[in-house]
Amino acid sequence: MDKTGKIFVVGIGPGNIEHMTFEARNAIEKSDVIVGYKTYVDLIEDIIRDKEVASTGMKKEKERCEEALKYAEEGNTVSLISSGDAGVYGMAGIILEIVFKSKSSVEVEVVPGITAANAAAASLGAPIMHDYVTISLSDLLTDWSLIEKRLHCAGEGDFVVCLYNPKSKGRQKEIEKAREILLKYKKNDTLVGIVRNAKRKGESCVITTLEDMLKYDIDMFTTIIVGNSHTYMAKGKMITPRGYAL
Ligand code: SAH
């Protein structure tokens, strides 16, 4: 085939089709091949219909990228699927690195999506109205010492902190350690929002405190938003004031 292929790295948002952008949908519809982790590909099966799907299991990010590149090198338009936003702990960085290293001329276009922090924040109210950071508690690719350092900095800076990858079967203690570090800077009654399956089927949403947060179920489908010193709750919503005089 002479046609040059192209890779769209598509952030499909948190899960529900309504939270996907038109651009994400267009990219998928324009594609000949869909590459992605099965759980995410299943979320968009209504759009994919009869397209060729190369979905692979967990922890195969590199293989998925290599596969996407192979299809694109053959002249196909490929959508490489990421949950949330492709550029936030997603597939955008790794595919750009792999294409760059391979010296391939395949074009890569990153299609943004709603990241878990935004989806979870919307379900909680308005907790990230002021400066916030996202910290992934997964130490699979990042040294735990660096994660700890960033938790300290976030605490010291009184940032709202969005925790991704808080807990998995193999990583149970990290969330406890993260809470301990944040408690060095934040008060016990600092509000914490725990959102599981934000903006997808089976969503659950709890507003609690740093003191009590570990009493709730936390897993890999959960995003945790720890407020700053001004965050408060009103009418069941978590609010971090921007500072308007009201
Ligand atoms: N690229 C994704 C993040 C991948 S890291 C994004 O932008 O959202 C995976 C982590 O994201 C999960 O462990 C969880 O902390 C969070 N996450 C992803 N989707 C979520 C959802 N629908 N609800 C709550 N948390 C979610």
Side-chain angles (χ1 to χ4, degrees):
M1 236 189 265
D2 305 333
K3 199 180 128 212
T4 329
K6 172 166 181 172
I7 300 172
F8 290 105
V9 203
V10 183
I12 60 165
N16 286 346
I17 250 53
E18 305 85 77
H19 292 102
M20 193 187 288
T21 65
F22 285 106
E23 197 190 352
R25 205 185 170 111
N26 287 341
I28 292 166
E29 274 166 0
K30 269 189 266 179
S31 294
D32 307 301
V33 185
I34 310 297
V35 179
Y37 175 44
K38 189 170 181 316
T39 311
Y40 304 141
V41 171
D42 287 350
L43 289 171
I44 51 165
E45 64 185 352
D46 291 350
I47 303 178
I48 295 175
R49 278 178 247 122
D50 48 5
K51 289 181 189 299
E52 185 171 348
V53 177
S55 57
T56 47
M58 192 76 132
K59 290 197 185 141
K60 296 264 181 336
E61 285 85 358
K62 195 164 163 243
E63 288 84 339
R64 258 182 273 155
C65 289
E66 280 160 356
E67 197 165 15
L69 181 55
K70 186 195 83 186
Y71 280 111
E73 290 280 5
E74 288 166 7
N76 294 292
T77 300
V78 182
S79 273
L80 178 60
I81 304 298
S82 225
S83 80
D85 183 272
V88 179
Y89 313 120
M91 300 298 289
I94 178 169
I95 188 67
L96 284 171
E97 285 187 283
I98 284 177
V99 171
F100 170 66
K101 283 220 164 121
S102 73
K103 303 199 164 52
S104 166
S105 56
V106 161
E107 187 195 343
V108 178
E109 184 176 331
V110 182
V111 180
I114 296 178
T115 188
N118 294 135
S123 294
L124 291 164
I128 55 173
M129 274 296 290
H130 214 284
D131 300 339
Y132 70 97
V133 291
T134 69
I135 298 180
S136 166
L137 296 189
S138 170
D139 60 354
L140 294 177
L141 299 168
T142 307
D143 281 347
W144 179 253
S145 59
L146 181 59
I147 298 173
E148 282 198 343
K149 181 176 169 189
R150 289 183 176 158
L151 286 162
H152 280 283
C153 292
E156 189 173 4
D158 194 23
F159 282 92
V160 174
V161 183
C162 303
L163 299 173
Y164 281 64
N165 297 305
K167 190 176 184 183
S168 68
K169 286 207 179 77
R171 294 183 303 102
Q172 299 277 320
K173 292 278 172 225
E174 283 72 1
I175 185 66
E176 294 172 26
K177 291 189 213 157
R179 172 179 166 275
E180 260 168 50
I181 293 171
L182 292 176
L183 272 171
K184 291 186 194 302
Y185 308 90
K186 292 175 183 280
K187 292 189 180 146
N188 274 331
D189 61 357
T190 303
L191 288 184
V192 174
I194 302 177
V195 187
R196 186 164 188 272
N197 286 324
K199 303 297 177 208
R200 63 163 83 126
K201 212 165 137 232
E203 174 181 301
S204 70
C205 199
V206 168
I207 300 177
T208 176
T209 58
L210 260 182
E211 171 146 32
D212 291 334
M213 61 177 274
L214 296 178
K215 294 179 183 158
Y216 297 88
D217 286 338
I218 294 171
D219 63 12
M220 284 302 278
F221 302 107
T222 310
T223 294
I224 299 176
I225 301 186
V226 182
N228 69 17
S229 57
H230 299 289
T231 305
Y232 67 99
M233 186 154 89
K235 287 199 158 183
K237 300 285 189 199
M238 187 173 168
I239 305 168
T240 300
R242 178 82 197 283
Y244 295 107
L246 302 170

